[in-house]
């Protein structure tokens, strides 16, 4: 009997995954923010619409779905939307994480 292909599952569930986006600016805007949290809600919408109930291999188009690769992919998306982004960190569990900071 042939076994089904192994698909990377990792700890990528709503319960255990934490994504942090680090932003930096030389000064704050007129309201005292680097970027208003309301604007950052676009990342949650992107994650929900792109990743929710999908296989990472299909989303990324390859089977190198390591936490490091996902960090870089999310960093690129975030940087394209907000110039202040300097790093993205993805945690699979409270004790395991990767950070992409070019």
């Amino acid at each position: 009997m042939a076994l089904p292909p192994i698909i990377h599952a990792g700890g990528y569930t709503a319960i255990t995954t934490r994504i942090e986006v680090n932003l930096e600016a030389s000064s704050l805007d007129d309201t005292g923010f680097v970027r208003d949290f309301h604007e950052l809600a676009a990342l949650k919408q992107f994650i929900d619409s792109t990743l929710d109930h999908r296989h990472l291999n299909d989303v990324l188009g390859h089977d190198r779905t390591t936490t490091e690769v996902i960090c870089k992919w999310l960093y690129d998306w975030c940087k394209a939307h907000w110039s202040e982004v300097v790093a993205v960190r993805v945690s699979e569990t409270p004790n395991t994480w990767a950070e992409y900071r070019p």
Side-chain angles (χ1 to χ4, degrees):
M1 176 169 98
L3 296 175
I6 297 172
I7 298 172
H8 179 82
Y12 302 105
T13 65
I15 296 169
T16 60
T17 299
R18 178 179 176 150
I19 298 170
E20 297 177 36
V21 179
N22 295 306
L23 299 97
E24 288 182 4
S26 59
S27 62
L28 302 178
D29 67 15
D30 292 338
T31 57
F33 294 111
V34 171
R35 187 63 72 159
D36 189 315
F37 281 118
H38 177 72
E39 296 175 73
L40 301 176
L43 176 58
K44 181 181 181 328
Q45 293 168 351
F46 171 72
I47 290 168
D48 289 347
S49 66
T50 306
L51 298 175
D52 191 32
H53 293 90
R54 293 192 172 84
H55 293 292
L56 293 174
N57 296 10
D58 295 338
V59 172
L60 298 178
H62 55 73
D63 64 356
R64 297 177 318 277
T65 55
T66 65
T67 305
E68 293 82 357
V69 168
I70 294 166
C71 274
K72 167 79 166 73
W73 179 70
L74 289 171
Y75 171 88
D76 291 343
W77 188 92
C78 290
K79 189 68 171 180
H81 288 80
W82 308 295
S83 61
E84 304 90 351
V85 172
V86 296
V88 170
R89 178 182 284 198
V90 175
S91 301
E92 288 187 50
T93 72
N95 298 319
T96 59
W97 53 267
E99 180 175 284
Y100 183 79
R101 179 184 296 267

